[in-house]
Amino acid sequence: MRGKRYGMLIDLRRCIGCQTCSIACKAEYEVPLGCYRTWVKQVEKGRYPLVRKSFLPIVCNHCERPICCTVCPVKATYQRPEDGVVMINPHRCIGCRYCMAACPYNVRFISPRFNVVEKCDFCQKRIDQGNLPACVEACPTNALVFGDIQDPNSEISRLLAMAPTQVIKPEMGTYPQAFYIDMDLDIVGAK
């Protein structure tokens, strides 16, 4: 058992769909236009005049059993043993896109600058320095909570214990570590 297991909790009762998380991520990593390490899915529901928008921030799920790691022919995608963060070694990646095809969450893209796969890495450099991921730090409504889910005193562990949560596509057996409070299941399957 690891000493740490990082995860993300997204409280959709607080998310206002402002895209600040996506913008912070783009700024942190200089993500090119048209590409996203994290993004907010938006779906309009209902019929006029009773229409509402639902939001679903999407990040890499940093799965406990990541399919992406098993399909990479050059082992460029790997899981850090010390905290479970799923990483991509850009020096090993050959851009074959096997990991993109295998990922059930559609959270990877080919960098047009380097022709390698990129994705959310929970801002690995920031968390290694003891800081929060850029998206969490920037969220104006505190809808994103990051931390060690194995530490019973962490904010994320307390919230996971108090509120019912869901994960995207639990049937895939990957054990995602991105948890959602008050997730609208209709938005998950919407295009």
Side-chain angles (χ1 to χ4, degrees):
M1 192 67 138
R2 293 183 193 101
K4 289 183 183 174
R5 182 57 170 110
Y6 286 130
M8 179 85 71
L9 176 69
I10 302 160
D11 189 343
L12 296 172
R13 300 170 300 184
R14 294 176 170 261
C15 181
I16 58 174
C18 66
Q19 303 286 343
T20 301
C21 54
S22 298
I23 295 166
C25 181
K26 279 185 157 296
E28 182 78 18
Y29 286 94
E30 299 177 8
V31 179
L33 291 174
C35 299
Y36 301 91
R37 285 174 158 251
T38 182
W39 53 286
V40 180
K41 187 176 188 177
Q42 297 183 31
V43 173
E44 289 183 7
K45 293 185 70 176
R47 296 180 72 153
Y48 178 81
L50 303 173
V51 178
R52 68 178 177 88
K53 276 191 175 183
S54 292
F55 307 106
L56 187 68
I58 304 290
V59 298
C60 175
N61 285 258
H62 296 277
C63 304
E64 188 66 37
R65 295 182 184 163
I67 298 170
C68 55
C69 292
T70 63
V71 300
C72 182
V74 294
K75 305 294 182 216
T77 297
Y78 64 98
Q79 187 174 38
R80 294 190 340 174
E82 65 270 21
D83 55 22
V85 175
V86 176
M87 302 286 297
I88 299 171
N89 180 338
H91 304 292
R92 291 195 75 147
C93 181
I94 57 174
C96 69
R97 303 175 191 213
Y98 286 171
C99 61
M100 291 175 64
C103 176
Y105 309 104
N106 194 28
V107 295
R108 294 166 172 254
F109 68 94
I110 286 283
S111 167
R113 293 181 296 180
F114 308 113
N115 202 34
V116 297
V117 176
E118 291 186 16
K119 66 167 199 66
C120 162
D121 62 6
F122 281 158
C123 290
Q124 168 261 322
K125 289 180 183 172
R126 292 175 62 97
I127 63 174
D128 287 352
Q129 295 171 351
N131 298 315
L132 291 171
C135 60
V136 175
E137 194 171 90
C139 181
T141 62
N142 297 316
L144 305 177
V145 179
F146 172 82
D148 180 3
I149 61 176
Q150 291 200 55
D151 176 2
N153 298 315
S154 68
E155 181 183 7
I156 191 170
S157 288
R158 288 193 306 272
L159 289 169
L160 286 169
M162 290 176 18
T165 60
Q166 298 144 302
V167 295
I168 297 174
K169 298 184 180 180
E171 69 277 6
M172 296 303 298
T174 59
Y175 299 96
Q177 301 302 298
F179 304 91
Y180 293 86
I181 295 176
D182 205 28
M183 182 169 62
D184 182 342
L185 296 177
D186 290 338
I187 194 173
V188 175
K191 300 243 189 252

